[in-house]
Amino acid sequence: MDKSLALLGLVDTGSSYGYDLKHRYDEVFGRGKPIAFGQVYAALARMIRDGLLTTLGEEAGAGPDRKRYAITEAGRDRIREWFSTPDRPAPELADNLFVKVVLACMLDSDADELLDMQRSEHLARMRELTRIKQHSPLLERLAVDHALFQIEADLRWIDMTSARLTDMREEVRRNG
Amino acid sequence: MADIALNPATTVPARGTPLIRAIGLHKSFGATKALRGIDLDVNQGEVLAVMGPSGSGKSTLIHCLAGVLAPEEGQVVIGDTDVTALNADERARLRLERIGFVFQFGQLLPDLTALDNVALPLLMNGVGRRAATVRARKWLDRLDISDQATKVPGDMSGGQAQRVAIARALVTQPSVIFADEPTGSLDSVAGEKVLTAMLEAVRESNTTVVLITHDARTAAYADREVIVRDGMLSAASRGVAA
Ligand SMILES: Nc1ncnc2c1ncn2[C@@H]1O[C@H](COP(=O)(O)OP(=O)(O)OP(=O)(O)O)[C@@H](O)[C@H]1O
Ligand SMILES: [Mg+2]
């Protein structure tokens, strides 16, 4: 998962200092694996360079920890593009999708839509595999079945999450 | 009586054009709005999976498409027949002649043998007993359950009974099959076998299938899926970009 997008999304929920962003990230997405300060500042610097972020009321010569970051219109576009791009079904998917859904709830973006698109992407991949399976020898069929069950597990998570979006939005707002 | 041709081949459009067209369907049960504006095309020969949460309106949708229920608003056209313009008797005739149904369970007549269950729709369509029996046997054979012909449903396994139900739905060579969780009561291996047997038969005859399922592995056998949520199709199902 691209951690800078998660950081960008967090800045979109309200301008913030690097220090606060790091702690906010750990709290929402860290799940026992905190992000390093160095990684946060490197990502922020890159996004400033790319025009996705800007700094507010910067004191001359202030160090990175004294800067207050805000998202730009280009940054918002980048988030929208990210939300509207379904992930390819793959083992690392859960991370990226999880972050997208949580941020979509925080930003009042259409998380239902995002999950629906993801569902279509998964089902399209399952259809593809099912087609392959129908013309395969038994051993290969077993391997394809394994892949199918894994995608299906993702889909169940998507269905479950979709059913819990209302609760999730409330919880995210309470903690925000 | 509306003009409903017995031979679907003469009235259905070629593959790739819609065989079923639903426009603006609304259906309520008292205060419950089960369908809230559904537009849907299903092409000739297409296998469409209908998915979505429990209570979202999937069964109501296929009942409206099949003329079992009459929507309060909207139109359903199958082939050249405006289903929503038919009265209840005409709809019953349409179902008998052009539509096959497969449900999760409890659909076979318990006192009839597999063979008689499958022959029944033909007899109801006026086919003679002898011809009906020959055709019923052929379908039992195609679904690989000839050995069950003389058994009653209670003496068959769930998977065998489902195959009989599918043979019964296909025996009249309908233009459309509506299936509501047809493999829902079977384990995944048995379910997959029943499903592939059904799909093999329908693909050969270019029959259109609308299949409700909550199971993604089953939906993956379809050509396309739509998601019903709160009585509407999801944006992704309508082909609307986010
Ligand atoms: N005959 C009926 N009388 C009253 N309410 C009904 C009737 N049939 C369906 N409903 C209601 O309409 C809504 C949609 O029901 P429907 O059976 O179409 O859902 P479904 O998507 O098929 O659900 P499931 O996956 O549980 O079968 C539900 O709220 C249901 O309670
Ligand atoms: Mg139902």
Side-chain angles (χ1 to χ4, degrees), chain B residues 93-223:
Chain B
R93 191 167 134 81
L94 173 84
R95 291 200 299 275
L96 189 61
E97 292 171 353
R98 293 195 46 194
I99 293 173
F101 287 96
V102 185
F103 299 102
Q104 188 168 352
F105 30 47
Q107 51 194 326
L108 295 173
L109 294 174
D111 299 330
L112 296 187
T113 64
L115 186 65
D116 288 342
N117 260 292
V118 177
L120 189 62
L122 292 173
L123 299 175
M124 289 170 72
N125 266 315
V127 177
R129 154 90 41 195
R130 185 182 291 264
T133 306
V134 171
R135 272 164 73 179
R137 272 196 198 287
K138 189 192 90 181
W139 279 98
L140 288 178
D141 192 42
R142 282 187 70 170
L143 285 154
D144 215 15
I145 37 167
S146 297
D147 53 342
Q148 305 296 313
T150 58
K151 281 197 193 170
V152 294
D155 295 340
M156 295 174 220
S157 77
Q160 288 161 344
Q162 263 329 63
R163 280 169 195 251
V164 175
I166 289 165
R168 192 182 63 174
L170 286 164
V171 73
T172 54
Q173 291 178 275
S175 18
V176 194
I177 299 270
F178 290 102
D180 198 339
E181 298 279 5
T183 58
S185 57
L186 306 175
D187 71 38
S188 48
V189 174
E192 198 146 11
K193 278 191 179 153
V194 167
L195 187 71
T196 49
M198 174 170 104
L199 291 180
E200 210 171 283
V202 300
R203 299 252 189 228
E204 231 165 77
S205 52
N206 203 27
T207 308
T208 305
V209 178
V210 181
L211 167 77
I212 294 179
T213 181
H214 67 271
D215 175 38
R217 293 170 67 82
T218 300
Y221 279 95
D223 299 312

Side-chain angles (χ1 to χ4, degrees), chain B residues 26-108:
Chain B
H26 285 259
K27 178 72 195 172
S28 299
F29 300 101
T32 307
K33 292 196 157 95
L35 300 183
R36 303 189 295 144
I38 289 198
D39 297 314
L40 178 66
D41 281 357
V42 190
N43 287 341
Q44 165 70 23
E46 185 173 36
V47 177
L48 176 76
V50 177
M51 306 184 77
S54 183
S56 59
K58 303 180 295 295
S59 297
T60 306
L61 172 62
I62 69 165
H63 288 148
C64 286
L65 295 179
V68 176
L69 289 173
E72 287 103 37
E73 254 179 72
Q75 192 187 31
V76 174
V77 177
I78 299 185
D80 52 9
T81 307
D82 182 346
V83 180
T84 31
L86 303 180
N87 66 32
D89 285 350
E90 291 163 341
R91 293 204 309 267
R93 191 167 134 81
L94 173 84
R95 291 200 299 275
L96 189 61
E97 292 171 353
R98 293 195 46 194
I99 293 173
F101 287 96
V102 185
F103 299 102
Q104 188 168 352
F105 30 47
Q107 51 194 326
L108 295 173

Side-chain angles (χ1 to χ4, degrees), chain A residues 10-11 14-21 24 56 67-70:
Chain A
L10 287 175
V11 177
S15 61
S16 192
Y17 292 100
Y19 177 86
D20 295 332
L21 276 172
R24 191 100 178 85
L56 300 176
K67 284 181 183 147
R68 193 173 167 81
Y69 297 86

Side-chain angles (χ1 to χ4, degrees), chain A residues 122-159:
Chain A
H122 270 60
L123 279 165
R125 180 69 184 138
M126 286 183 80
R127 253 196 306 276
E128 207 177 298
L129 289 169
T130 300
R131 228 171 275 135
I132 293 169
K133 187 172 89 167
Q134 280 167 299
H135 311 286
S136 305
L138 182 61
L139 276 185
E140 196 179 324
R141 256 184 0 240
L142 289 176
V144 173
D145 266 327
H146 184 256
L148 280 169
F149 276 119
Q150 290 198 313
I151 299 178
E152 191 189 7
D154 277 356
L155 266 175
R156 289 190 182 195
W157 181 85
I158 289 169
D159 285 341

